[in-house]
Amino acid sequence: MPETAERRAVVRCVFCQTPNRVDLSKLALGPKCASCKRPILLDRPVKVTGADFDQTLQGTTVPVLVDFHADWCGPCHMMAPIVDDFAQRHAGAALVLKLDTDANQAIAGRYGIRGIAPVIVFEHGRERGRHVGVADLAKLESL
């Protein structure tokens, strides 16, 4: 299987909301939205909602780390810079998503999110690892 087929992600443009398939092996070239031509930045967490969560998981061939967070959550705020660092270090090899559990309660319920600051790693749309609570970079990488 060619490398480009193995490393792709489906992400929604933050500007126009158009879903885009991004070839992660060409991330250094600066992918742009097919519709509005604005940059798609994958060196940081990508916000997702119930509208695009499943499409992103199913259309992405690299591991996906999802930070399930809430604005009121202190440990979530502590995790934010660690998740940002992980996204930057692993851009192109993994996709990092942020999902607001208060705004997307159906998805939070589907994955049994009950603890504080959970992260779940998915591979090919299936859960592969989970950690609840504040974690350092090494813990995220071990997932």
Side-chain angles (χ1 to χ4, degrees):
M1 182 179 282
E3 185 175 320
T4 56
E6 293 177 359
R7 295 182 47 215
R8 71 173 184 275
V10 173
V11 293
R12 191 172 296 269
C13 175
V14 298
F15 300 104
C16 71
Q17 304 305 308
T18 300
N20 288 269
R21 186 168 34 180
V22 179
D23 182 347
L24 297 175
S25 67
K26 298 179 181 177
L27 201 58
L29 298 176
K32 294 184 182 348
C33 175
S35 181
C36 72
K37 307 301 183 209
R38 293 182 123 172
I40 296 174
L41 304 174
L42 298 179
D43 62 344
R44 60 204 69 190
V46 175
K47 291 182 181 180
V48 291
T49 66
D52 57 346
F53 182 79
D54 290 324
Q55 181 181 28
T56 300
L57 280 185
Q58 296 304 320
T60 302
T61 60
V62 296
V64 178
L65 182 136
V66 182
D67 177 17
F68 290 87
H69 73 97
D71 287 336
W72 53 264
C73 170
C76 297
H77 289 284
M78 292 171 55
M79 282 288 297
I82 298 164
V83 172
D84 291 349
D85 187 27
F86 180 89
Q88 187 174 23
R89 289 175 185 251
H90 298 283
L95 180 64
V96 178
L97 306 177
K98 284 186 89 71
L99 182 100
D100 181 339
T101 57
D102 286 336
N104 299 281
Q105 293 180 5
I107 292 184
R110 184 185 339 159
Y111 291 101
I113 304 299
R114 292 181 188 88
I116 302 290
V119 293
I120 300 177
V121 173
F122 294 88
E123 196 162 21
H124 304 292
R126 294 192 175 150
E127 184 175 335
R128 189 177 97 188
R130 178 185 292 234
H131 179 79
V132 178
V134 177
D136 61 12
L137 185 62
K139 180 61 184 175
L140 295 182
E141 291 173 339
S142 73
L143 291 173

